[in-house]
Amino acid sequence: MRVSIKDVAKAAGVSHSTVSRALADNPLIAAETRKRIHRVARRMGYVPDAIARGLVTRRTQVIGVIVTTIEDPFVAEVVRGIEQVAGDNGYRVLLGTSHNDPTREMNQVKAIRESRVDGVIVAASRVGALYQAHLKEIGVPIVLINNQNRQKSHRIHSIAIDDAQGGQLATQHLIEQGHRVIAYLGGPPDHAANRDRLTGYQRALAAAKLPFDPALVQSGTGRVDGGAAVVQFLSHTPTPTAIFCYNDMTAIGALRTLKERGVRVPDDLSLIGYDDIPFAAYVDPPLTTIHQPKDEMGRLAMQMLLDLLAGKKVGNVSVPGRLVVRGSTREI
Amino acid sequence: MRVSIKDVAKAAGVSHSTVSRALADNPLIAAETRKRIHRVARRMGYVPDAIARGLVTRRTQVIGVIVTTIEDPFVAEVVRGIEQVAGDNGYRVLLGTSHNDPTREMNQVKAIRESRVDGVIVAASRVGALYQAHLKEIGVPIVLINNQNRQKSHRIHSIAIDDAQGGQLATQHLIEQGHRVIAYLGGPPDHAANRDRLTGYQRALAAAKLPFDPALVQSGTGRVDGGAAVVQFLSHTPTPTAIFCYNDMTAIGALRTLKERGVRVPDDLSLIGYDDIPFAAYVDPPLTTIHQPKDEMGRLAMQMLLDLLAGKKVGNVSVPGRLVVRGSTREI
DNA sequence: CATTGGTCTGCAAACGTGTGCAAAGGAGAG
DNA sequence: CTCTCCTTTGCACACGTTTGCAGACCAATG
């Protein structure tokens, strides 16, 4: 049987409201009474009931986090950042995964709403995009990570990687190494991240006065299997000497396909990824990539949510990527 | 303002208890009343309050999941399995990470206790081991994944990879390929997983009547940096022709160190990992390893918890590993 | 001594929901 | 028409906590 505040009150010979105040270190309660109640509570193994407390305070100290899938190393690091800051500030994390499955997505939004969380962080772009109306109805502050539409709302805020900047950075690196025919092996066409990286790619080409050839752009899946599409470029003339990949997963898939075809990286072809997932450094050759400050993004998102909960005004944040040169690109 | 069951009651011209029953599809309520109330509730955008419900039903439909770190691909997959089965059965997941940090560990256990979760799954062996007394006090069913001590308790159950079997499987594979001098590049010495895999290694040696040489056993960290210790074996005589690594992370680290030293895998040295993390297939050479059915473990753990919540008796489960032969081992 | 003021504690309401029990209403049987 | 029984609904309490307000007690002041 759980020991409640009333049990402590009875044992200490006071009313339950006095116990409540004493345990909250309310200065209204006389110092010695307070100490005594603390002792009694500890001895009896009293543990406050967050549910009951949440009902009256209308604060649950829980934030909902909706992600596509926790297996994605990118997502996992973001969640880690969130969880860390949340924990340090007395918040707990309710995790929901959507898997890009409409049923699950809807369920998550519903579950979050029923759970009375104090705030929500969404790191599933589809959910952020498709269910914004529903999300708004939850009536709590919301922070979207890398979502598609950056519309303004007094409740919904966002924090995003500057993918155009990153895409430009990546392409620029290849150009600086002397490459002139550069392909873009993209991700899901409907993802804003994909479009933005493509934009950055085009910007870098334009800045270097290089022509843009649509045949040098492919879309993919964003997963390892999306790398197989790299073969399309091999038959193109002129053959590209470098490829900017939508993300590291795609680059790793491309690496694998190229190895099977006998194309050597970076000797025959330079390859640059995006994300800097943990294993980017351990594939062969180690992947040159654009590092995304993932756990920092998670931390920033949670910090933003804390600010919102504290009633502060916050602006939308854009986080720049950083070039990490390893072994998959070389001068030509 | 949130619309409560009372608001719906007023709008529908009935008492709040009738609404409560109607929405629960309680057959006591006349069919047409029920329908009408459903309509009114939907129109008003009523959403049940899980907090209030939890207070009275004493069930929160939330399970706590404590892990070391979500960044570990192994853990991530387990969590995915848990989350999936939980979601399908109307449970939500409260995530906590311990990071092997005593303060955080204690906080997690405390937080879980206050949160009134219906059950707990712990995939952080340290927590499972050190805080068993505290965990038991939570007073809800608990499932430990890969924990150290498999002691019996009517509340605490466990599900584990059979590491001795896996270690034996790995070593046996090397032996079958003709290797006679085989080293074990281990993990953290205090981890039961490490000890069990070592046991399996020794068993396989014994079964093949090969001598056991303690100098051919090193301990490490279980992370990529733990692979560097592989150099110790290179100066041993006779030099081992094969190494069984505690896990894939360690194997990947070893691979990297060996590459730096000019030792070719598998030509000069065979290497086998453990876990079959997603990237094991994409390193060079692709890693031969022992596959652990990770998301299945998560699913089984959650299923076990559901059974416990339903009052069923469950036994402890041991899950066997499976050999996956790729390119890092070869016949001698 | 009466009054005031300050310190501390208890009473009671509230948060939103579920549920045992009583009661209202209607139908059917005698 | 009366009685019984069944269906349907409402009343009231409970879950464990926080908090506004009133009140008790004591000391100090006039």
Side-chain angles (χ1 to χ4, degrees):
Chain A
M1 209 30 210
R2 221 182 147 97
V3 18
S4 85
I5 217 172
K6 287 185 191 167
D7 303 322
V8 177
K10 199 168 295 175
V14 293
S15 77
H16 77 278
S17 12
T18 302
V19 175
S20 173
R21 279 187 262 255
L23 295 179
D25 285 326
N26 187 320
L28 277 179
I29 304 298
E32 54 185 311
T33 316
R34 217 187 310 169
K35 279 187 184 170
R36 183 166 49 90
I37 292 178
H38 265 111
R39 268 201 308 276
V40 174
R42 186 144 3 136
R43 179 165 48 76
M44 298 180 72
Y46 168 74
V47 173
D49 185 325
I51 295 291
R53 175 182 290 163
L55 188 58
V56 41
T57 61
R58 315 186 64 72
R59 282 234 169 185
T60 55
Q61 298 296 110
V62 173
I63 64 140
V65 174
I66 302 183
V67 302
T68 48
T69 166
I70 194 71
E71 286 167 277
D72 183 336
F74 182 95
V75 172
E77 280 200 55
V78 171
V79 171
R80 174 182 187 272
I82 294 172
E83 212 273 341
Q84 191 177 314
V85 175
D88 291 347
N89 289 81
Y91 281 86
R92 292 182 278 281
V93 169
L94 200 61
L95 182 73
T97 64
S98 70
H99 289 277
N100 287 333
D101 165 10
T103 313
R104 292 186 76 91
E105 285 168 348
M106 202 59 217
N107 281 344
Q108 292 303 346
V109 175
K110 198 165 138 245
I112 285 288
R113 209 170 154 192
E114 295 183 2
S115 303
R116 282 217 134 173
V117 296
D118 292 343
V120 179
I121 297 181
V122 180
S125 49
R126 262 179 57 108
V127 174
L130 301 177
Y131 303 91
Q132 213 158 72
H134 290 94
L135 286 172
K136 214 176 287 182
E137 277 177 11
I138 300 181
V140 298
I142 295 174
V143 174
L144 302 178
I145 296 184
N146 282 349
N147 75 310
Q148 319 244 11
N149 46 349
R150 282 131 211 206
Q151 68 176 66
K152 282 191 188 177
S153 160
H154 71 295
R155 272 249 163 78
I156 303 193
H157 293 76
S158 75
I159 173 168
I161 292 284
D162 190 340
D163 281 310
Q165 177 261 358
Q168 186 164 1
L169 204 59
T171 312
Q172 205 174 315
H173 167 65
L174 297 172
I175 293 171
E176 280 166 7
Q177 290 194 317
H179 297 280
R180 289 298 170 260
V181 185
I182 302 172
Y184 175 57
L185 180 53
D190 55 329
H191 275 40
N194 179 57
R195 287 198 301 271
D196 290 348
R197 289 170 201 185
L198 178 58
T199 302
Y201 162 80
Q202 290 171 310
R203 258 187 223 159
L205 291 183
K209 305 217 192 304
L210 291 175
F212 169 65
D213 180 354
L216 286 177
V217 173
Q218 282 283 335
S219 46
T221 61
R223 297 186 305 266
V224 170
D225 61 6
V230 71
V231 294
Q232 310 278 353
F233 296 137
L234 300 181
S235 52
H236 184 273
T237 18
T239 312
T241 62
I243 299 178
F244 166 34
C245 298
Y246 168 65
N247 64 8
D248 291 345
M249 303 279 240
T250 302
I252 287 168
L255 220 46
R256 187 193 198 184
T257 303
L258 291 170
K259 190 169 287 180
E260 286 166 10
R261 303 259 165 168
V263 180
R264 291 167 307 163
V265 175
D267 305 302
D268 302 334
L269 191 60
S270 282
L271 215 59
I272 187 168
Y274 203 106
D275 283 353
D276 196 20
I277 61 176
F279 281 88
Y282 303 113
V283 294
D284 181 53
L287 214 55
T288 295
T289 188
I290 301 297
H291 176 83
Q292 303 209 57
K294 295 170 274 285
D295 66 338
E296 193 192 329
M297 281 198 67
R299 287 201 302 271
L300 282 173
M302 186 63 214
Q303 192 55 56
M304 191 183 243
L305 197 54
L306 288 173
D307 288 348
L308 287 168
L309 288 170
K312 291 188 200 161
K313 278 274 172 213
V314 305
N316 288 354
V317 176
S318 185
V319 186
R322 181 165 54 77
L323 176 69
V324 178
V325 181
R326 296 206 182 90
S328 65
T329 52
R330 59 174 271 187
E331 300 215 358
I332 202 171
Chain B
M1 208 29 210
R2 220 183 148 96
V3 20
S4 85
I5 218 172
K6 287 186 190 166
D7 302 322
V8 177
K10 200 168 294 176
V14 293
S15 78
H16 82 277
S17 13
T18 302
V19 175
S20 173
R21 280 188 259 254
L23 294 179
D25 285 327
N26 186 320
L28 276 180
I29 304 298
E32 55 184 310
T33 316
R34 216 186 312 166
K35 280 186 184 170
R36 181 166 53 89
I37 292 177
H38 265 111
R39 268 201 308 277
V40 174
R42 186 148 2 143
R43 178 165 50 76
M44 297 179 72
Y46 168 73
V47 173
D49 186 325
I51 295 292
R53 177 181 289 163
L55 187 58
V56 41
T57 62
R58 317 187 63 73
R59 282 236 168 183
T60 54
Q61 298 295 109
V62 173
I63 63 140
V65 174
I66 303 182
V67 302
T68 47
T69 165
I70 194 69
E71 287 166 279
D72 183 335
F74 182 95
V75 172
E77 279 200 54
V78 172
V79 171
R80 174 181 186 273
I82 294 173
E83 213 273 340
Q84 191 176 314
V85 175
D88 291 347
N89 290 80
Y91 280 85
R92 291 183 278 282
V93 169
L94 200 62
L95 182 74
T97 65
S98 70
H99 289 277
N100 288 333
D101 166 10
T103 312
R104 293 186 76 91
E105 285 167 349
M106 203 57 217
N107 280 344
Q108 293 301 346
V109 175
K110 195 164 141 247
I112 285 287
R113 210 171 152 191
E114 294 185 1
S115 302
R116 280 215 136 172
V117 296
D118 292 342
V120 179
I121 298 180
V122 180
S125 48
R126 262 180 57 109
V127 174
L130 299 177
Y131 302 91
Q132 214 158 70
H134 290 94
L135 286 172
K136 213 176 289 182
E137 277 178 11
I138 300 182
V140 299
I142 295 175
V143 173
L144 302 177
I145 295 184
N146 281 348
N147 75 309
Q148 319 244 13
N149 46 349
R150 281 132 213 207
Q151 66 176 65
K152 283 190 186 178
S153 160
H154 71 295
R155 270 247 164 79
I156 303 192
H157 293 76
S158 75
I159 174 169
I161 291 285
D162 190 339
D163 280 310
Q165 176 263 357
Q168 184 164 1
L169 204 59
T171 313
Q172 205 174 316
H173 167 66
L174 298 171
I175 293 171
E176 280 167 8
Q177 291 194 315
H179 296 281
R180 290 297 170 261
V181 184
I182 303 172
Y184 175 57
L185 180 52
D190 54 329
H191 275 40
N194 179 57
R195 287 199 301 271
D196 290 348
R197 289 170 202 186
L198 177 59
T199 302
Y201 162 80
Q202 290 171 310
R203 260 188 223 157
L205 292 183
K209 306 216 190 309
L210 291 174
F212 169 66
D213 180 355
L216 286 177
V217 172
Q218 281 284 335
S219 45
T221 61
R223 296 187 306 265
V224 170
D225 61 6
V230 70
V231 296
Q232 311 278 353
F233 296 136
L234 299 180
S235 52
H236 184 272
T237 16
T239 312
T241 63
I243 299 177
F244 165 35
C245 298
Y246 168 64
N247 64 8
D248 290 346
M249 303 279 239
T250 302
I252 288 169
L255 221 46
R256 186 194 200 182
T257 302
L258 291 171
K259 190 169 287 180
E260 287 166 10
R261 304 260 164 166
V263 180
R264 291 167 308 162
V265 175
D267 306 301
D268 302 334
L269 190 60
S270 282
L271 214 61
I272 187 169
Y274 202 107
D275 284 353
D276 195 22
I277 60 176
F279 281 89
Y282 303 112
V283 294
D284 181 51
L287 214 56
T288 296
T289 188
I290 300 296
H291 176 83
Q292 303 209 57
K294 296 170 273 287
D295 65 339
E296 193 192 329
M297 282 198 67
R299 287 201 301 271
L300 283 173
M302 187 62 212
Q303 192 56 57
M304 190 182 245
L305 196 55
L306 288 173
D307 288 346
L308 287 168
L309 288 170
K312 291 187 200 160
K313 278 271 170 215
V314 305
N316 288 354
V317 176
S318 184
V319 186
R322 181 166 53 77
L323 175 69
V324 179
V325 181
R326 297 207 182 90
S328 65
T329 52
R330 62 173 269 188
E331 299 216 359
I332 202 170

